[in-house]
Amino acid sequence: MRSPSFLPSSFLFATLYLSVLRVASLAPKGEWTFVQNGTTGITALEAILVSPTLILMFDRVLGDPLQIDGHQAWVELWNLETNTGFPLNAITDTFCASGALLSNGTMVSVGGQASELPPGVTVPPDADGRMGIRIFEPCADPAGLNCTLFEDPATLHLAANRWYTSAIRIFDGSLMIIGGTHEETPFYNTDPENSFEFFPPKDNGQTRFSPFLARTVPTNLFPRGFALPDGKVFIVANNQSIIYDVEAQTETILPTIPNGVHVTNPMDGTATLLPLSPPDFIPEVLVCGGSNSSDATPSEELSSQDPASDQCTRITLTPEGIKKGWIIERMPEGRMMPEMILLPNGQVLITNGAGTGYAAISSVSDPIGNSNADHPVLTPVFYDPEASLGSRFNREGLPTTNIPRLYHSGTTMTPSGAIFLAGSNPNSGVVENATFNTEFRVQFLNPPSLSRSRPSVSRVPEKIAFNEPFTVDIDIPNDLNTGDLKVALMDLGFSTHAFHSSSRLVFMEAQLSGNQKSLTIRPPPNNRVYPPGPAYIFVTVDDVTSTGTRVMVGNGASPPVQDQGVPLVS
Ligand SMILES: *[C@@H]1O[C@H](CO)[C@@H](O)[C@H](O)[C@H]1NC(C)=O
Ligand SMILES: *[C@@H]1O[C@H](CO)[C@@H](O)[C@H](O)[C@H]1NC(C)=O
Ligand SMILES: *[C@@H]1O[C@H](CO)[C@@H](O)[C@H](O)[C@H]1NC(C)=O
Ligand SMILES: *[C@@H]1O[C@H](CO)[C@@H](O)[C@H](O)[C@H]1NC(C)=O
Ligand SMILES: *[C@@H]1O[C@H](CO)[C@@H](O)[C@H](O)[C@H]1NC(C)=O
Ligand SMILES: *[C@@H]1O[C@H](CO)[C@@H](O)[C@H](O)[C@H]1NC(C)=O
């Protein structure tokens, strides 16, 4: 059994009983609010937090208003302190690319599409992005001054053309790059790149063929992969899943997602690795939404009105859990292209997406304008991984928005605890008069903690070593019950196409001092439990969460890094 606060269960039982009244009277859950603030100059179809104050966003080259050097920009840096953005230069096309942070804090964007020139453009601003590698070095200036994207396509590129690929940071701090397609395909993956590769490269830059990817065409774009606490990688695509051993180069087949539900692009469901807790860090994966339509059906026979799947399935990645297989749950409504965001208290927020239809643009029999999807779902829902089966979904305190977030949206948690929501463009260019427009409005979904006095943490080291406890100062408002204290170490992930790659939450053991003024925290045991690299530490007391403080986890060296810390004993 996983217990959130690492206390003996008898103690938990006693405090649970005592805390019923306290929770009701002293720590009301409170209301979440959607606040619109600022507009982007590109569609935020990819988004990643690259520093405590900056979000980097990527788009395609097809008419966005943001300009740089006399042509359209397709990369924008968003300043969370001013809620304004400015353009960055790029050489290659970043449409439907992926990315992640490395063990040394550098952000790397990979893949993209072949160059695409808007009508009338004669000076080509963008080069073929399918082998693109784009480097954004750690940016120290809070406003992003002088921070740039570096590209040199002639000398620095992937081994294969990859459009709609995924990238995740693995145990040695490198990126594992998974699958993709070669050419523009109207809907399904009909020209797949069924291989893995790495950045920095392994195997002398050769790709590794994946039988799993070959089995999962034509519905395997943006495969959802997660680094597991033993260093292996779980991947789900279409309705199948595997564990890939990066070192032994073996694929172990796991049970199929039940009921014919497909969960990757163009039938986008979403997936997350649930929070990992000490001492055992037992991995569990949750997969939600998508579609149970047959992927043998030509897209022009599918409809924007086909119901999206309301199915969630969850698997525990231990021998016993795998034997049990996927356990089925149901969301309150179906969702195509949902987003799942891990919250520092261990809950999962599910937001965005549509009640019917599919991902991609203008490929079904009856698109709404250009959108293959219809009936936007405008109210988020919580999933509580610790609640019992059948009572894990709730909507307490969650508001409804009036901004649909459909295909080509980007969403990420921010260090304040607010969730940044941007993008949505189920069109091939900028469209302003359709049912589902190109969406430039930025929103934040603000948690109740933002309007309360919150715990605050200071004197946090910039770098923490695996398994070596460190002590921080903490200030906890008097009305909070310190018996309920959680410390989360989080990677906030790279968001695109209903997937937050590298997103991760590892709970850390923590001991409050007698005077409640300092907190001693034990980092994860090793670089497999938390792939080495940047993270944010959030402290939640009595369900009120501090702001997140950025730390570098591990030695901060460039990948591939050596194993660090101590092995997990099972
Ligand atoms: C929008 O963001 C700016 C900059 O952070 C802030 O000053 C302003 O209060 C925000 N407006 C709203 C409505 O939250
Ligand atoms: C940015 O670069 C300019 C010119 O090199 C320099 O004068 C300035 O100090 C730099 N600003 C920051 C914040 O690094
Ligand atoms: C999984 O999807 C494939 C098509 O991609 C289909 O043939 C197969 O029946 C599905 N399996 C299950 C168990 O639904
Ligand atoms: C397919 O999914 C829809 C929406 O969740 C559901 O109504 C329908 O019963 C499912 N069909 C099958 C055969 O499972
Ligand atoms: C939107 O505007 C364009 C250009 O003015 C026009 O061609 C198109 O028909 C309009 N679409 C809708 C849905 O009104
Ligand atoms: C991090 O490592 C990558 C890959 O080797 C390299 O391109 C980048 O310059 C490094 N960044 C820093 C800050 O060392």
Side-chain angles (χ1 to χ4, degrees):
M1 276 295 287
R2 300 182 315 129
S3 97
S5 45
F6 330 117
L7 295 167
S9 56
S10 56
F11 185 80
L12 264 185
F13 183 76
T15 50
L16 195 66
Y17 179 75
L18 284 173
S19 66
V20 171
L21 282 174
R22 297 185 62 120
V23 168
S25 57
L26 295 176
K29 281 237 157 109
E31 298 295 313
W32 290 64
T33 49
F34 278 110
V35 177
Q36 200 269 311
N37 200 335
T39 52
T40 57
I42 66 169
T43 303
L45 73 82
E46 295 147 39
I48 180 172
L49 187 84
V50 287
S51 86
T53 52
L54 298 169
I55 292 173
L56 186 55
M57 300 178 289
F58 300 92
D59 193 14
R60 72 197 295 184
V61 192
L62 209 57
D64 284 326
L66 194 66
Q67 298 285 307
I68 190 165
D69 297 344
H71 63 75
Q72 185 216 313
W74 59 96
V75 183
E76 181 172 357
L77 202 50
W78 186 261
N79 182 344
L80 289 165
E81 289 183 325
T82 58
N83 281 318
T84 54
F86 61 90
L88 291 187
N89 242 320
I91 297 171
T92 61
D93 196 312
T94 54
F95 187 42
C96 302
S98 189
L101 298 163
L102 301 177
S103 55
N104 61 12
T106 293
M107 196 284 321
V108 180
S109 152
V110 293
Q113 78 163 348
S115 128
E116 168 183 65
L117 296 181
V121 173
T122 49
V123 181
D126 69 326
D128 189 338
R130 292 173 296 169
M131 290 190 180
I133 296 180
R134 310 165 194 96
I135 308 271
F136 184 84
E137 299 288 9
C139 178
D141 181 62
L145 283 179
N146 298 350
C147 296
T148 55
L149 201 60
F150 171 79
E151 281 190 272
D152 184 6
T155 61
L156 184 65
H157 58 80
L158 296 177
N161 281 327
R162 295 181 191 272
W163 193 25
Y164 287 81
T165 189
S166 293
I168 59 168
R169 185 170 76 254
I170 59 171
F171 67 93
D172 67 3
S174 322
L175 299 194
M176 175 173 171
I177 302 157
I178 307 171
T181 187
H182 299 136
E183 298 293 342
E184 174 140 18
T185 55
F187 192 68
Y188 294 117
N189 188 1
T190 49
D191 188 9
E193 176 53 48
N194 293 325
S195 73
F196 308 135
E197 65 177 286
F198 299 85
F199 181 79
K202 300 188 192 302
D203 321 311
N204 296 314
Q206 301 296 299
T207 61
R208 294 184 185 177
F209 171 70
S210 166
F212 162 74
L213 289 173
R215 274 198 316 276
T216 52
V217 285
T219 317
N220 69 357
L221 296 170
F222 284 111
R224 282 72 162 107
F226 304 100
L228 298 177
D230 62 0
K232 295 181 182 135
V233 172
F234 167 91
I235 314 173
V236 58
N238 193 338
N239 58 2
Q240 299 180 42
S241 59
I242 55 161
I243 290 176
Y244 181 67
D245 186 327
V246 175
E247 290 154 296
Q249 303 192 30
T250 54
E251 294 186 352
T252 304
I253 297 177
L254 299 181
T256 301
I257 303 270
N259 297 323
V261 176
H262 309 279
V263 300
T264 42
N265 189 277
M267 297 188 176
D268 276 311
T270 190
T272 192
L273 179 67
L274 291 173
L276 298 167
S277 296
D280 299 323
F281 305 98
I282 293 169
E284 290 185 78
V285 169
L286 178 69
V287 179
C288 293
S291 172
N292 66 5
S293 298
S294 165
D295 63 2
T297 309
S299 66
E300 56 280 8
E301 289 171 27
L302 297 172
S303 165
S304 61
Q305 306 306 304
D306 293 343
S309 178
D310 61 359
Q311 177 171 285
C312 289
T313 51
R314 174 166 163 175
I315 194 166
T316 303
L317 297 174
T318 56
E320 315 80 68
I322 291 167
K323 201 176 285 172
K324 266 195 194 160
W326 293 94
I327 309 292
I328 298 172
E329 306 179 57
R330 300 261 162 221
M331 294 185 282
E333 65 273 295
R335 285 191 198 238
M336 173 60 52
M337 305 175 282
E339 300 279 351
M340 285 203 287
I341 294 161
L342 296 172
L343 301 178
N345 67 358
Q347 302 248 321
V348 182
L349 181 91
I350 303 175
T351 184
N352 294 13
T356 62
Y358 302 91
I361 295 167
S362 282
S363 29
V364 299
S365 58
D366 56 350
I368 308 301
N370 295 304
S371 175
N372 286 344
D374 195 8
H375 303 100
V377 188
L378 300 172
T379 312
V381 61
F382 293 120
Y383 176 87
D384 181 353
E386 300 286 340
S388 55
L389 188 66
S391 54
R392 290 180 182 150
F393 294 97
N394 77 81
R395 291 211 140 105
E396 274 166 55
L398 283 173
T400 296
T401 175
N402 58 1
I403 304 182
R405 301 286 179 187
L406 303 176
Y407 202 44
H408 295 155
S409 304
T411 299
T412 181
M413 259 268 295
T414 65
S416 74
I419 292 156
F420 170 91
L421 300 117
S424 189
N425 189 17
N427 306 288
S428 297
V430 175
V431 171
E432 284 172 348
N433 58 353
T435 308
F436 302 121
N437 283 337
T438 306
E439 185 55 66
F440 296 112
R441 287 172 291 176
V442 170
Q443 273 175 306
F444 293 89
L445 179 53
N446 287 334
S449 296
L450 240 60
S451 48
R452 295 202 42 159
S453 55
R454 322 166 69 169
S456 74
V457 179
S458 52
R459 233 167 37 84
V460 180
E462 278 178 23
K463 200 187 267 187
I464 63 177
F466 290 103
N467 206 47
E468 286 179 20
F470 61 97
T471 299
V472 301
D473 291 345
I474 186 162
D475 185 21
I476 303 175
N478 286 332
D479 61 343
L480 299 183
N481 170 15
T482 54
D484 176 9
L485 187 149
K486 295 174 190 168
V487 185
L489 185 73
M490 296 183 71
D491 187 318
L492 305 180
F494 179 101
S495 163
T496 194
H497 290 78
F499 177 43
H500 291 244
S501 59
S502 305
S503 150
R504 195 177 200 82
L505 191 167
V506 179
F507 281 119
M508 300 190 287
E509 282 177 47
Q511 186 71 49
L512 199 56
S513 64
N515 67 3
Q516 308 206 336
K517 293 288 181 204
S518 65
L519 189 64
T520 299
I521 302 169
R522 179 178 291 277
N526 61 52
N527 56 299
R528 291 170 184 246
V529 174
Y530 189 94
Y536 288 81
I537 294 177
F538 292 89
V539 178
T540 302
V541 181
D542 207 358
D543 221 23
V544 181
T545 302
S546 69
T547 59
T549 307
R550 189 182 205 260
V551 292
M552 173 58 84
V553 188
N555 61 17
S558 296
V561 299
Q562 300 285 309
D563 275 337
Q564 298 162 48
V566 295
L568 251 186
V569 279
S570 49

